[in-house]
Amino acid sequence: MALDLAPIGRALISVSDKTGLIELGRALEARGIELVSTGGTAAALAKAGLKVVDVAKLTGFPEMMDGRLKTLHPRVHGGLLAIRGEPAHQAAMIANGIAPIDLLIVNLYPFEDALARAAPFDEMIENIDIGGPAMIRGAAKNHGDVAVIVDVGDYDRLLEELAINGGQTRLAFRRALAQKAFARTAAYDAAISNWFAREIGETAPAWRAFGGKLMSALRYGENPHQRAAFYVGPERRPGVATARQLQGKELSYNNLNDTDAAYELVAEFDPAETAAVAIIKHANPCGVAVGASLVEAYEKALACDPISAYGGVVALNRTLDAAAAKTIVEIFTEVIIAPEVDDDARAIVAAKKNLRLLVAGGLPDPRAPTASVRSVAGGLLVQDRDAGALDPMTLRVVTKRAPTEAELADLAFAWRVCKHVKSNAIVYALGGATVGVGAGQTSRVDSAEIAARKAAEAARAAGLAEPRTRGSVVASDAFFPFADGLVAAIEAGATAVIQPGGSVRDADVIAAADKAGIAMVFTGMRHFRH
C-alpha cells in the first residue's frame, strides 16, 4: 500500500521543450536530488553548471540509432516501476543493480507542432516519441511511489509541493499528476493515429481516439447546471482555438459555439475579393453580407434581422477597422471576431468593457479536409467537415428561364450562407446580403414562410414599402420534397432558386417554377446541418 508522503532522491529529466529547465534543475539540485538526464537535456544542464548523470552511464548502453534507443532499459523502467514497499521488487532491484527513480520529468517530441506545420512524412515519423510515453506510463502506473511531470506549467507546482512537504510529495498530488500523464499520452497517440489514418486514406479506422489540451475551464455549459471546458486539438485551424482575447468577459460555452459558427461562415468569402460580415445568434446566421468595406457589409447584414442581431456574435473576414468598430458597438454585441484588429478599432471597442474582442490571426480554410465529431449515447459520430463548394460549371439550369448574371451572383452567395444554416434551411438574398433566413424547422415550407415573415418585419421596422425578399433569390439546403416550399418562396417575391434537386417530385417543383416564370438551378449537392 502506498504511503502518503514519498521522498525524492533521484530525478530523471528528458525534455524537448527546455523552457524553465535550468531553473528547475537548480532548485532540485539545491534539495540534494540527483539529476539523471538524456542527450540534449543532459548537455543543457551540464552547460549551466549542474551535476548530471547521463542516462547512458545508468544503463551501461550508449544512446544509439539516432536517439531512438536510450531509455528503453530495465535500469530505467525498473527504477520507475519498482514498488518501494514490495520485498520481491526490492530484491530484484538489488540483484540487478537497479536504483530507484522517484521523479520523472518528460515532455514529448513535438509531434503536434510538426503536424500543425504540415511537416513531411519522414519528419513526422521521427517526431513520434517512443521512450517518453513508455516512461510516462510506467511512472504514472507506479504513482504510489513516483511523481511524473509532463507539463512545463507544473514545474512551479512541483517545487511548491516539495517546499511544503520537506522534499516529499503527497499521494493526492502524485495521483493528480498520474491522471494528467495518462491523458497526455492518450492525446499524443490520438494525434499520431489520426494523422496516420489520413496519410493512408483510412476513413473509418477500427479504433479511433481524439484528444486535446485544456484551453479553459468554463463557468458552465449550455445551461448553468451543466459543467463544461474548452479543449484544443493538435490541428491549428484558425478560429476560436487560435484566437487571442483582447478584452471582455470570460467566454461562455455558448459564446464559443456561436463564435465558431460565425467565423466558419465568414471564411467562405475570400477577403481579397470582398469584405464579409456574419452576425450569428444561437449558432444560426441572422444576417450575412458582402460589401466594398466592412462597415458596408455589416450594415447590410444587420438590416436582415436587426432584432435578432441584438446580443449576437459578429464575425469579419478582414482586419477590424475603426469605421466598422464604431458601427458595430452601436448595439449590444456579445463577441467580435476578426483575423486582426487595428489600433483605432481596438480603442473604440475598449469603451465597451464587457464586449469580447477576439483576434484569430487568420481565416480557416473552408475546403480543408478536417474531421467533425459529435457524441451520441455510448459512442461518437465522426465525419468529414462539410467542405463542399459550389462549382458554377456543374450548375444545371432546369427551368425554361435561366438566371441573370445578377441572380447567379446572389444564388452563389445564398448557397454559401445556406451551408451554415441549420436544417431545414431557407435563405433569401439580394445584392450580396441575406434578406431573410429560416432555420431549424421540421418542414421546409415552414422555413420559407418564417424567413419571409422575418423579412416583412424587418421591412416594417425600416419603413420600407415592401420586404427585401421582393426580387430576391432563394437557396434551399436540400431538395424541395413538394412544390409548396417553392410556392412560399415565390409568394415572398423570389425570382430565382438554387437547390440540390433529387426529389421524386422534381418535375412538379420545376413545373411550379416555370409557371411563375422564375429561374431554378440544381447543384447536385446538399448541405444538411444539425
Side-chain angles (χ1 to χ4, degrees):
M1 183 176 179
L3 298 175
D4 181 53
L5 290 173
I8 293 179
R10 172 182 286 169
L12 194 161
I13 309 174
S14 181
V15 293
S16 58
D17 180 357
K18 295 177 175 54
T19 303
L21 170 65
I22 304 307
E23 294 78 6
L24 175 66
R26 286 175 177 154
L28 295 177
E29 186 179 72
R31 288 198 165 275
I33 296 171
E34 181 183 9
L35 304 181
V36 179
S37 192
T38 63
T41 306
L45 290 169
K47 185 178 180 181
L50 293 165
K51 184 178 180 181
V52 58
V53 176
D54 193 285
V55 75
K57 184 176 181 181
L58 184 73
T59 63
F61 278 84
E63 182 177 319
M64 62 183 76
M65 301 177 188
D66 298 319
R68 287 187 173 200
L69 189 60
K70 51 191 172 188
T71 60
L72 296 170
H73 193 279
R75 286 181 180 167
V76 172
H77 288 273
L80 293 170
L81 283 164
I83 300 173
R84 309 303 191 251
E86 174 56 56
H89 288 207
Q90 293 301 306
M93 293 175 74
I94 293 169
N96 293 282
I98 298 173
I101 298 170
D102 310 305
L103 170 64
L104 177 70
I105 301 171
V106 171
N107 53 63
L108 303 171
Y109 291 177
F111 180 88
E112 292 103 333
D113 291 343
L115 180 64
R117 55 185 171 82
F121 185 90
D122 288 347
E123 184 179 344
M124 296 296 292
I125 293 297
E126 289 309 310
N127 273 288
I128 297 175
D129 203 329
I130 301 301
M135 290 191 294
I136 290 170
R137 289 176 62 80
K141 177 174 181 175
N142 199 29
H143 65 269
D145 295 305
V146 180
V148 54
I149 300 287
V150 296
D151 185 348
V152 171
D154 286 331
Y155 290 176
D156 288 342
R157 286 181 60 205
L158 170 66
L159 297 178
E160 182 181 355
E161 177 77 5
L162 295 176
I164 292 171
N165 298 295
Q168 303 178 97
T169 60
R170 292 167 297 128
L171 180 59
F173 178 73
R174 297 192 300 278
R175 282 180 174 168
L177 293 178
Q179 182 279 322
K180 189 172 189 176
F182 282 121
R184 176 68 188 105
T185 57
Y188 190 76
D189 286 341
I192 295 168
S193 64
N194 287 323
W195 165 77
F196 227 130
R198 288 195 299 274
E199 287 295 308
I200 65 174
E202 178 56 77
T203 57
W207 296 92
R208 196 74 185 258
F210 295 93
K213 183 178 182 181
L214 181 68
M215 173 71 80
S216 60
L218 305 175
R219 286 183 299 159
Y220 53 82
E222 285 185 291
N223 300 292
H225 61 275
Q226 294 172 272
R227 290 177 294 181
F230 179 34
Y231 292 84
V232 296
E235 294 182 357
R236 297 294 181 260
R237 184 177 177 85
V240 293
T242 64
R244 292 181 294 117
Q245 184 171 350
L246 302 184
Q247 69 163 65
K249 297 187 296 184
E250 176 187 349
L251 287 158
S252 70
Y253 181 99
N254 292 329
N255 291 151
L256 288 164
N257 190 52
D258 289 353
T259 303
D260 178 67
Y263 208 55
E264 288 291 334
L265 194 166
V266 84
E268 294 281 350
F269 302 96
D270 185 348
E273 296 178 359
T274 186
V277 173
I279 307 172
I280 295 286
K281 195 76 167 287
H282 301 303
N284 267 312
C286 50
V288 184
V290 295
S293 65
L294 287 175
V295 68
E296 178 188 339
Y298 174 76
E299 289 173 342
K300 289 166 65 178
L302 181 64
C304 178
D305 190 354
I307 294 175
S308 297
Y310 184 85
V313 170
V314 176
L316 311 99
N317 73 338
R318 290 180 177 175
T319 297
L320 177 63
D321 55 34
K326 183 178 180 181
T327 305
I328 292 169
V329 300
E330 288 178 357
I331 70 167
F332 171 56
T333 300
E334 289 276 7
V335 182
I336 300 173
I337 184 169
E340 298 293 344
V341 57
D342 68 28
D343 291 340
D344 291 339
R346 186 170 181 178
I348 291 167
V349 178
K352 304 289 184 178
K353 297 188 182 299
N354 290 332
L355 172 56
R356 304 158 179 92
L357 178 59
L358 305 182
V359 173
L363 285 169
D365 179 358
R367 311 293 170 251
T370 56
S372 172
V373 184
R374 175 175 296 182
S375 65
V376 294
L380 299 172
L381 287 173
V382 182
Q383 66 173 349
D384 294 335
R385 182 185 295 275
D386 184 356
L390 185 66
D391 182 355
M393 300 302 293
T394 63
L395 286 180
R396 185 161 62 97
V397 178
V398 295
T399 48
K400 294 175 182 177
R401 183 174 80 79
T404 65
E405 286 191 15
E407 287 172 332
L408 272 175
D410 278 336
L411 288 170
F413 168 84
W415 184 250
R416 288 183 180 183
V417 175
C418 200
K419 170 181 170 182
H420 296 267
V421 180
K422 290 186 178 180
S423 302
N424 286 312
I426 292 290
V427 173
Y428 295 93
L430 179 63
T434 57
V435 294
V437 179
Q441 301 304 306
T442 54
S443 165
R444 194 160 300 279
V445 67
D446 288 344
S447 291
E449 291 173 346
I450 288 170
R453 176 174 57 78
K454 293 179 77 68
E457 291 170 354
R460 284 194 294 272
L464 300 178
E466 61 181 9
R468 294 187 179 93
T469 51
R470 297 295 175 189
S472 69
V473 305
V474 65
S476 174
D477 64 337
F479 61 66
F480 288 97
F482 300 95
D484 54 359
L486 176 65
V487 170
I490 294 168
E491 290 175 348
T495 63
V497 182
I498 186 169
Q499 60 134 321
S503 169
V504 295
R505 296 183 179 84
D506 275 348
D508 295 341
V509 176
I510 294 169
D514 281 335
K515 182 178 179 181
I518 71 168
M520 182 184 293
V521 296
F522 283 2
T523 66
M525 173 190 293
R526 76 180 189 195
H527 282 307
F528 275 164
R529 180 168 178 260
H530 294 102

